[in-house]
Amino acid sequence: MQSNSLNITPELIFSHIWAIRSDARLAVMQQSLDSLIAEIGSPKIIPNDLTVVSSLIKNQVRWFSMACEGYVMSLAEKYEDRFLNLTFKDLVVIVSLYYNYTDLQKKHTKNLLKKYFKRRQSCYDNSTLLFSDITSQTYGLLIYREQAERLIMAITDMGHEEAKKLLRALRKCTYEAQNYGETFISLGVAKGLPREKVRRIWALISRQAQLLTDYKFSLALSWLLYQLQYLETYHLSRVWSKVRRFAKQYEHGINLRQIEKLNSLSML
């Protein structure tokens, strides 16, 4: 990777463009960060450092610079002050809900985050839940698309691709998907599952299909954010030394003249 890939700022990386999800863009940014980490001597990034998670949440204005309402992050900061031990798992939930926060789902997102922290605080018992292994990470709440897909697979014995297709159809509110409920319930009952619980699972999945977030994207983005904050927390002098050295070597004027020439412009 070329050295100019190191000229990265939080404002550039986490701009409003993240409203459009892109695994490819995320991969390129991770490669750029990997290049920077290698340039400063490949310091070890220790996962789930509570100090880093806390700093990341409190530095929300810097890292989370999307042009959307900051309610999710302000609420997270309030709970961070209360618990003082939010983990990387909590960060993934927060990032997931933050980047899925739109005017169409304000109420849902607010209630979901409040429920998450309330259950976290009370050490919520997952053991009574149907398929508790699928939702134990989120204290019995349905947050991620992957959770819904696994629930569909567990109840109907569908393959992964079929489950994804059904969930996609539910998000599009197709007639066939909306009317699949009775089949879903019947398949669950045939497996010996309580009818009412299966009915509730279907109602939850079908009602929230459009509101579910992408766990894999949220996980990858959270790790990228975490690494940046970790470097700032423990290796700031090394990072800035490399950035300053790069800035001195970079001749911005030449680049500007080339841009002008390519676009038939003249410097103002």
Side-chain angles (χ1 to χ4, degrees):
M1 183 167 292
Q2 296 180 354
S3 61
N4 60 9
S5 66
L6 301 178
N7 191 23
I8 297 174
T9 65
E11 291 74 19
L12 176 63
I13 295 178
F14 303 107
S15 66
H16 64 279
I17 200 168
W18 279 104
I20 302 173
R21 294 185 174 188
S22 171
D23 292 340
R25 189 180 297 117
L26 187 61
V28 169
M29 286 164 43
Q30 182 62 63
Q31 290 174 8
S32 297
L33 179 59
D34 289 343
S35 177
L36 173 60
I37 291 173
E39 287 284 341
I40 64 173
S42 300
K44 184 178 181 181
I45 306 288
I46 299 175
N48 206 30
D49 184 309
L50 302 189
T51 298
V52 174
V53 174
S54 174
S55 298
L56 180 54
I57 291 172
K58 290 186 175 181
N59 281 332
Q60 57 176 285
V61 174
R62 180 176 182 187
W63 298 123
F64 297 84
S65 55
M66 281 178 59
C68 70
E69 191 171 337
Y71 174 84
V72 172
M73 291 309 299
S74 61
L75 185 60
E77 185 174 8
K78 183 182 79 172
Y79 279 102
E80 199 284 329
D81 287 336
R82 182 182 299 178
F83 294 128
L84 299 177
N85 63 342
L86 293 190
T87 66
F88 184 77
K89 180 191 76 171
D90 300 319
L91 180 65
V92 177
V93 171
I94 292 165
V95 168
S96 171
L97 294 178
Y98 181 89
Y99 280 86
N100 208 41
Y101 191 78
T102 67
D103 289 337
L104 297 177
Q105 55 200 69
K106 283 184 178 180
K107 186 176 180 180
H108 169 77
T109 302
K110 290 178 180 180
N111 290 339
L112 198 58
L113 196 61
K114 285 182 178 179
K115 284 182 180 179
Y116 176 84
F117 281 117
K118 185 176 180 179
R119 292 185 179 190
R120 186 192 189 285
Q121 186 177 26
S122 63
C123 299
Y124 186 80
D125 183 11
N126 282 290
S127 61
T128 59
L129 297 173
L130 190 63
F131 302 111
S132 60
D133 58 317
I134 296 176
T135 59
S136 61
Q137 188 165 305
T138 52
Y139 304 105
L141 298 171
L142 188 62
I143 294 178
Y144 305 119
R145 291 176 189 171
E146 289 86 346
Q147 289 176 313
E149 290 166 5
R150 288 184 62 195
L151 285 170
I152 292 171
M153 292 166 64
I155 291 174
T156 67
D157 288 332
M158 281 185 181
H160 186 215
E161 287 304 315
E162 287 181 291
K164 286 178 66 175
K165 189 178 296 184
L166 174 59
L167 189 60
R168 192 179 304 119
L170 284 170
R171 292 202 302 272
K172 294 179 179 178
C173 298
T174 66
Y175 177 81
E176 293 79 5
Q178 292 295 323
N179 285 274
Y180 184 75
E182 286 303 318
T183 302
F184 183 90
I185 295 169
S186 297
L187 289 171
V189 171
K191 295 183 73 171
L193 301 173
R195 173 178 289 274
E196 182 58 23
K197 285 193 174 183
V198 177
R199 186 195 66 76
R200 288 180 181 177
I201 290 175
W202 173 255
L204 188 62
I205 293 175
S206 57
R207 185 173 66 249
Q208 296 187 9
Q210 294 181 336
L211 306 175
L212 298 174
T213 63
D214 188 325
Y215 173 73
K216 292 180 181 177
F217 176 88
S218 304
L219 181 65
L221 180 54
S222 296
W223 180 240
L224 183 61
L225 284 161
Y226 179 89
Q227 290 175 97
L228 285 163
Q229 184 62 49
Y230 191 95
L231 292 176
E232 180 173 287
T233 302
Y234 296 112
H235 304 283
L236 184 60
S237 61
R238 291 160 71 180
V239 171
W240 278 114
S241 175
K242 170 56 65 175
V243 170
R244 284 193 294 269
R245 195 177 313 127
F246 173 79
K248 290 179 180 179
Q249 297 170 351
Y250 185 76
E251 297 185 40
H252 195 54
I254 294 175
N255 191 40
L256 288 175
R257 288 193 292 274
Q258 183 179 11
I259 294 170
E260 282 187 310
K261 184 177 180 181
L262 288 171
N263 293 279
S264 301
L265 299 172
S266 58
M267 180 64 76
L268 298 176

